[in-house]
Structure formats: structure tokens, C-alpha cells
Amino acid sequence: MKDGTMTLPMKHRFHLPEGVIYLDGNSLGPLPKGVTERVSVMLSDEWGAHLIRGWNVDDWMGQPMRVGNMVGRLIGAPDGSTVMGDTLSVKVYQALDAALKMRPDRKVILSDNSNFPSDLYMAQGLIAQLGQGHELRIVDPEEVMDALTDEVAVAMITQVGYQTGYMHDMKAMTAKAHEAGAVMLWDLAHSAGAVPVDVSASGCEFAVGCTYKYLNGGPGAPAFIYVRPDIVDQIRPALAGWLGHDAPFAFEGDYRPAKDVERMRVGTPPVVQMTALEEALKIWDEVDMAALRAKSIALCELFIAEVEQRCEGVTLASPRDAAMRGSQVSFAFENGYAAMQALISKGVIGDFRAPDIMRFGFTPLYIDEDDVRAAVDILADVLGNRLWDTPEFKRTSRVT
């Protein structure tokens, strides 16, 4: 992120099980080395020794903004414009509600069918709660630009789609949204730490994202929300939580929002989880995102070429043009769930997304060309010899 001094991959910086090729960092990143020790110190020396004094002595109260600035520097946001806390669904709800209030004369929320279902569910729930006749309009990803008309209040778009990795042009789409008079809300769940992002250059009003994927914050790591600095004082959050108050410990009877993006805080921050994330984010001080992106494209291109040459019965579901694809590759296969379970049993961990998508994430921090070729060796064996065709691999688990 700063000086580009890295040498890829940096496998020695992660706990990676022996014999495993991990192609699922787009769903849950692996454990970075140093996190276990840092969390242990937090538990014993901060919570254990300082008790409630840790909110001041160890600055737990300032952690959401401190870590928010670390994430902000990865997405092109100025310090003080990004804050951590809660889940991504909560942050989507906050941002969408605030965006709709900025366009009270419009009723359309525009999204696309590559958006993560939770974002759409949040929009549906908010529409029902408001009861003001709003409409959630969903189009194909390729149709979003043409659908940005003067009816649209908010364009709520995930930059990189979760199923196929389809990637929107952030700057161009934000410009088109603003030309139509709409507010732009980006979900960066599959972008932050995977592709270069510059929310400031795009001019978007809001951006949200999670930190347990490419940022390696761990399961349940808190989400982030960015608000463009020039509009933050206009935002009155729907979820007006205690820690979003301008003076929480004044215990005033009425809500008075904080003067900056801290007004988007809701409840008590998850200090243990945020400590793990804070330590995990330190690696990005050594990462040049342009170099990371170039390596990611090379790994994905190699994987596509090898699979299409050596594996029968699968169809590329991701965009073939690397400029339109995030840091993942998806192939459609009729028996994709069972095939993925067979792959996992042989040490290649990807994941499955209904109805038939086998999804593979490529993180150059710990994946190299040898990993790609070895993974395709195993995939070719699983498909060519129908190793997936057993009852064991067809039993559906709760998490796919």
C-alpha cells in the first residue's frame, strides 16, 4: 500500500495448513501470523490487567476510527472518513437509508442481480419499513449503466459480484449516477484488498465493506463504512446508537450526532475481533496494490487457461476480460457442489454458490503459479474420473 517493498507471495506471513491449496480467501482469509500473539496480549495485558480502564488506557474507544483509517487508506479514503463496527448488513442499511433521505423526491433503488442477497434483503426490509412507495429495481450487471435514469434515488452496487467476480467500473458508474442525479453507494466486500480502489477519485457518497475476506480479519470481523467528507454533516443515521452520539458520556436524553463519520457508529465495538483485524491490516503497509492486481490477473489467467485445456464439462462463468473481473474465477458445473466437496477432500479449498458455481479466489499474498497448476491437476482428476459421484460428496452441509 505504501512503498511496494513486498515480494510475492508472502506465504511465510500466514498460517496455512500443510498440503492445502487455499483458494477461498475471497470468502474467509487465512490467519496472519502475529494475530494470535496480539490478541493474546490484548486479552491478558489489556482486558485482564486493565479491566474497564482499557477503554481509556488502551484506547479501545478510539479503535473504530484508528482501524477505519487503516482500511480507508486501502480504498482511497482520506483519514477520518471511514469507521469500523457492526456487520456489513447493518452498514448497508445505514448507508442506504441516508442515501434515500438525500433524494426524497425519488423512489427507485437500483441494483443488479450479481449483488449479494443480503444487500437486497436490507433494501427490501428498509422499503417495507419506510412505507413510502420505494421500489427496488434489479437489472443484469451489464444493464446498470443504461438503467441509471432520473427516476433513480440510489444506485446500490457491489463493485465485484460474489458469484462470478464481474467487476463494475467504479469511476465511470459513479459519474453516470451523478449525471442522472442519483446517490452512489458501493459495496466493496470483494474489492478491498483484492483490486485497487479509490473512493475519493470516484466521488461516490458512500462505500461499505467487510474485512474477513481479502483483509484477513477473521470470522465475524467488523464491517466498515465510508461517507464522503463534504456530506457527512448532513447525515442523520436511522440507527442512532449511543456511540454515534457527539458526547456519549453526557448521557443526554436526545440524540445529537457526532460531527464526523463517527455518527455512523452504533453500539459497543467488538474489541477482541477488531484487535485481530488491526494486527492483520499491518501487512498492507508493505503491499503495492498495482503489483498485487497484476499478479492476481496473471494467476487467474493461468487458472482459466489450464482448466479450459484440461478439464471437461465446466464452463467459464466469470468475465473472460480480466479488466471486468475481480480476483476470483468461477466455473459452472452441473454437479458443482459435489465436485467442490471432492476437491476439498483432496486439499484444494474453494467454495460453491448455487445453483452450479464452483468459485475459486486468487490471493497473491499466499498463492503462486505452482499452487494454480497443482490445483488444476486435482480438479482434472476429480472431474475426469468422476470422483465427485459418491453419496459422501452429495450431502449438503449448512455452509456451502
Side-chain angles (χ1 to χ4, degrees):
M1 184 172 68
K2 289 183 178 179
D3 55 20
T5 58
M6 64 180 182
T7 299
L8 292 173
M10 308 165 79
K11 295 187 181 189
H12 64 287
R13 303 288 290 275
F14 295 89
H15 291 280
L16 295 167
E18 188 71 28
V20 168
I21 302 172
Y22 193 61
L23 303 181
D24 208 12
N26 55 316
S27 191
L28 175 68
L31 174 65
K33 291 182 178 178
V35 168
T36 302
E37 295 76 11
R38 176 66 188 94
V39 171
S40 178
V41 168
M42 180 269 150
L43 292 173
S44 61
D45 295 2
E46 295 181 16
W47 181 17
H50 298 155
L51 301 170
I52 199 169
R53 294 173 296 170
W55 290 105
N56 290 318
V57 173
D58 302 301
D59 196 26
W60 296 341
M61 189 59 75
Q63 195 175 38
M65 282 296 292
R66 184 171 69 248
V67 179
N69 286 336
M70 296 173 76
V71 173
R73 289 189 282 274
L74 264 175
I75 62 170
D79 283 359
S81 62
T82 307
V83 72
M84 310 300 302
D86 317 302
T87 66
L88 179 52
S89 295
V90 170
K91 292 309 176 197
V92 168
Y93 188 96
Q94 284 186 293
L96 183 57
D97 175 80
L100 287 175
K101 288 173 181 172
M102 295 174 67
R103 298 294 184 269
D105 58 331
R106 299 189 181 196
K107 300 299 181 183
V108 174
I109 301 167
L110 178 66
S111 193
D112 68 69
N113 54 26
S114 72
N115 208 343
F116 195 70
S118 185
D119 292 25
L120 304 180
Y121 302 160
M122 286 292 111
Q124 292 165 2
L126 179 59
I127 287 171
Q129 185 176 37
L130 292 175
Q132 296 175 8
H134 289 93
E135 169 197 348
L136 176 59
R137 186 173 296 172
I138 302 173
V139 300
D140 291 337
E142 300 86 353
E143 298 173 350
V144 174
M145 292 288 273
D146 290 339
L148 282 165
T149 67
D150 59 9
E151 293 181 288
V152 177
V154 185
M156 180 184 70
I157 304 294
T158 296
Q159 186 191 15
V160 176
Y162 78 102
Q163 275 193 321
T164 68
Y166 182 98
M167 184 165 67
H168 292 283
D169 184 324
M170 175 180 282
K171 192 170 183 179
M173 185 169 290
T174 302
K176 183 68 183 296
H178 288 168
E179 181 183 329
V183 176
M184 191 73 233
L185 163 57
W186 286 105
D187 183 335
L188 305 178
H190 287 269
S191 305
V195 299
V197 178
D198 194 336
V199 293
S200 294
S202 80
C204 67
E205 284 84 358
F206 301 95
V208 296
C210 58
T211 60
Y212 45 79
K213 300 181 188 295
Y214 294 97
L215 299 184
N216 308 307
F224 64 85
I225 185 167
Y226 159 83
V227 181
R228 204 175 68 201
D230 64 301
I231 65 168
V232 71
D233 61 353
Q234 305 169 33
I235 305 304
R236 192 167 183 88
L239 300 175
W242 175 49
L243 291 183
H245 194 281
D246 191 41
F249 287 89
F251 299 108
E252 297 173 6
D254 295 318
Y255 179 73
R256 178 165 53 88
K259 294 179 176 60
D260 55 19
V261 75
E262 284 203 286
R263 67 180 56 197
M264 305 307 276
R265 292 177 64 172
V266 182
T268 304
V271 176
V272 178
Q273 188 71 68
M274 206 173 297
T275 299
L277 172 62
E278 186 172 13
E279 184 66 27
L281 287 171
K282 291 179 180 178
I283 196 171
W284 296 99
D285 287 339
E286 305 169 40
V287 176
D288 179 284
M289 282 305 300
L292 186 86
R293 174 63 174 162
K295 191 66 174 177
S296 164
I297 290 173
L299 293 173
C300 291
E301 293 288 284
L302 175 62
F303 183 73
I304 292 170
E306 290 282 322
V307 170
E308 292 189 327
Q309 181 180 350
R310 301 170 55 195
C311 301
E312 294 184 0
V314 297
T315 304
L316 181 66
S318 297
R320 193 167 293 277
D321 182 353
M324 298 177 62
R325 188 180 65 232
S327 197
Q328 69 180 66
V329 174
S330 297
F331 279 92
F333 179 57
E334 183 180 2
N335 297 285
Y337 178 79
M340 183 56 70
Q341 304 318 300
L343 266 177
I344 292 170
S345 75
K346 289 185 167 294
V348 178
I349 300 180
D351 63 19
F352 172 81
R353 291 294 177 260
D356 60 357
I357 297 295
M358 300 175 69
R359 193 174 69 154
F360 304 89
F362 292 89
T363 306
L365 294 181
Y366 49 84
I367 296 295
D368 60 24
E369 289 83 355
D370 288 343
D371 294 321
V372 172
R373 292 189 179 92
V376 178
D377 285 342
I378 296 172
L379 178 60
D381 184 36
V382 165
L383 297 178
N385 293 302
R386 294 178 64 91
L387 301 184
W388 52 266
D389 194 10
T390 70
E392 173 191 359
F393 297 136
K394 294 179 181 180
R395 284 193 292 269
T396 305
S397 300
R398 186 171 182 181
V399 178
T400 64

